Every structure is written in C-alpha cells, then in structure tokens.
Amino acid sequence: MPPTQTTNKDHWTSKAYNTSASFVPKLTSTVVSYLDAQPTDTVLDIGCGDGPLTAQIAAAAQLGRVVGLDASPSMISSAQADYAHSKHPNLAFRVADCTKLSKEAPDVLNGSWDKVFSNAAYHWILRNPETRRDVFVDAFNALKPGGALVFEMGGAGNVAEVRSTIIAALVIHGIPLDEVRAADPWFFPSEKWMATTLEDVGFNVEKVELEYRPTKLTGDDEGGLDGWVRLFGAQLLEKVNELKRAEVVKWVVEVLRSSCRREEDGSWWIGYVRLRAVAKKP
Ligand code: BEZ
C-alpha cells in the first residue's frame, strides 16, 4: 500500500488504488485471523492505506483503540473521510512515514499497544536496507510486553514475472540495469531472513510462513494488468518520460500475455507470494 521510500512524491490516490487493486483488502482473511483482534485491543496499523482493513479491525476492537499510519497524505485523507472519527470513535488515522517512526510519530513508540499489524505494506517500507531493522525495532518498542506483531507482505519470489519484465523493458528502452535496480521499490524477503531479523530485534517468533497465491487482477475495463503496472510500478516507470512510459507499459503487457493471461476467459493473473508472521514481545 504505502510507498515513499525512493522519492517523496505521493504516488497514491484512493481512486486509482480501488480501481486497479480492489482485490487487495479482500484477500486478508488469514492475516486477520492471526491478528485475532479482541474487543479491548489497542492496535497500530502500519501502512494502512485508505483504511478499509483498519476499520474492519476497529469494528472488532470496539472497546479499544485503533490507529492507522500511512506515508501517503492522499490515502490518509480518504481514510479520514470514509471513516470519520465521529462515527468511529475508537479509530484514527495519521500521516507518518513508517520507515522513520521515531522521528515522525515518536509518541506511538510507547510500549502500550496490544498489537502492531500490517498488511501489504512492509515490502515498500522495508525497501531501504539501511532502515530495515529500525522498522522492526519501532514495532517492538510500540508493543507492550506480551504484545504481538502480526503482518502479511510480499515474500521471496513475489510478483516475479511482472517485476522482471518491467526491469527488462526499462533496460531495453535504454536505462542502465543498475539505475533500474536502484529505483526498484520493493523488498520481498525469505522466511529465513524474516525469522532471523525478528529474533535479532528481540521478538519470540511464533510463525513465519510463505504461501504462493496466484491472484486474479481486475478486468481490463477496471485497469487489468496495464493498470497494475502503472499504479504499482510507478517508481520504476518514472525512469522514462511519459511518451516512452506508454511504450514500456505496452511492451510489458504484451510480453506478460504469454504467462499471465488465461485462455478460457481472458483474465489476468499474477504470482503473488505472501509472507505472514506472528511475533511476540517477551
Ligand atoms: C503485494 O501486495 O505483494 C504487492 C503489491 C503491489 C506491488 C508489489 C507487491
């Protein structure tokens, strides 16, 4: 959901997200079941986007408090409009870059939260190797003793066909490979990397799992693969001007027709790999 790591530009609008990625908040039943929100829970949602899942959690934690944080001002203002504090008194949203919470929202790192949650956000937030460990230190510091960090993100091999094809397209269109790699906005770790990092920060790791989950994109009328590439690949596509960008996207979609288009109904599918974890603060 929430990138800002390579540039400060806000690539997100709720409208674009809900057109090309409307399936994302719908595929969350497993991580939500791991969160197991209790009526009095306090929950911090990292990279909440425009908030539908945060609001779902707040409905379960009715007597508690739920705060959603996201780096995108556009997504947070949609969340605040859709889930007004007057109608959802236990729910609040704030703009904060979750790669540096100790600077942007130090008050939330107060050791008081029952749960820290994140869905489909950490692969953007962990993009910069230099701040990766700090992101988990922040989650650790936010939690009360016995509290749980519960999250889902892209894991090793996630969307590999699309990522590789966008990289190849940019190289073919004249951008050096090391420049393209430097603009790659994602980090998709293995279970081993994740378990080691969480343990190193001090968590007791209860679960780290990887699931291959081919995912059907929206239909061509609502964006399809073209819309997905433009929305999620925005930071990579910025390496070329708008004219070349249209060519690059067309090339990517044509190449991926071989592996992502289903013959029977013309639907587009991408190889999502989910990494889910549950880790407790001792
Ligand atoms: C994901 O949720 O795994 C994801 C979404 C967009 C781009 C890359 C990964």
Side-chain angles (χ1 to χ4, degrees):
M1 292 194 206
T4 47
Q5 280 70 52
T6 50
T7 66
N8 284 327
K9 188 168 165 188
D10 188 352
H11 292 95
W12 298 103
T13 65
S14 184
K15 184 166 180 279
Y17 193 81
N18 287 307
T19 305
S20 291
S22 50
F23 54 87
V24 175
K26 293 180 191 149
L27 296 169
T28 53
S29 51
T30 306
V31 71
V32 168
S33 75
Y34 292 171
L35 179 68
D36 191 23
Q38 299 301 304
T40 58
D41 271 351
T42 54
V43 184
L44 188 62
D45 184 2
I46 304 289
C48 64
D50 59 355
L53 195 49
T54 328
Q56 187 185 321
I57 293 165
Q62 268 171 0
L63 306 173
R65 182 168 164 254
V66 178
V67 174
L69 303 176
D70 199 284
S72 164
S74 164
M75 294 297 249
I76 289 294
S77 68
S78 292
Q80 287 166 336
D82 290 348
Y83 308 103
H85 198 60
S86 52
K87 288 200 186 136
H88 304 264
N90 66 334
L91 175 60
F93 294 97
R94 281 170 64 177
V95 176
D97 180 343
C98 297
T99 66
K100 41 185 175 199
L101 286 181
S102 57
K103 289 208 181 76
E104 300 229 338
D107 55 302
V108 303
L109 307 181
N110 59 5
S112 76
W113 300 85
D114 293 305
K115 288 168 184 164
V116 173
F117 176 79
S118 184
N119 179 58
Y122 270 149
H123 45 259
W124 306 96
I125 293 165
L126 297 176
R127 191 235 171 232
N128 179 355
E130 285 170 21
T131 51
R132 255 171 219 164
R133 190 175 182 282
D134 296 345
V135 169
F136 293 111
V137 171
D138 287 347
F140 190 88
N141 290 337
L143 286 166
K144 61 163 68 156
L149 169 63
V150 179
F151 63 89
E152 176 169 322
M153 64 183 292
N158 192 39
V159 301
E161 69 288 71
V162 190
R163 187 189 206 183
S164 304
T165 307
I166 298 174
I167 292 171
L170 289 167
V171 171
I172 284 170
H173 285 76
I175 312 298
L177 181 55
D178 54 349
E179 266 188 49
V180 177
R181 286 219 172 102
D184 186 334
W186 305 309
F187 176 59
F188 299 131
S190 65
E191 301 120 291
K192 188 171 178 194
W193 184 95
M194 188 54 75
T196 307
T197 304
L198 291 170
E199 278 162 11
D200 183 54
V201 166
F203 283 104
N204 290 334
V205 178
E206 293 201 339
K207 191 192 295 279
V208 179
E209 64 188 19
L210 214 55
E211 180 199 0
Y212 177 59
R213 193 197 63 198
T215 298
K216 188 180 183 179
L217 303 188
T218 56
D220 283 329
D221 290 349
E222 296 146 306
L225 181 59
D226 184 292
W228 192 102
V229 170
R230 284 177 194 277
L231 177 68
F232 291 125
Q235 284 146 299
L236 283 161
L237 297 174
E238 274 174 6
K239 298 305 297 177
V240 290
N241 66 32
E242 272 184 41
L243 202 63
K244 258 197 185 174
R245 202 170 301 159
E247 272 175 39
V248 166
V249 174
K250 191 158 181 264
W251 193 93
V252 168
V253 172
E254 278 316 306
V255 170
L256 286 173
R257 195 173 286 277
S258 307
S259 48
C260 299
R261 186 97 163 162
R262 297 225 174 145
E263 197 59 39
E264 65 275 18
D265 60 0
S267 56
W268 291 105
W269 291 70
I270 296 184
Y272 274 65
V273 176
R274 309 325 289 165
L275 186 152
R276 283 184 286 265
V278 177
K280 291 247 173 92
K281 180 170 175 172

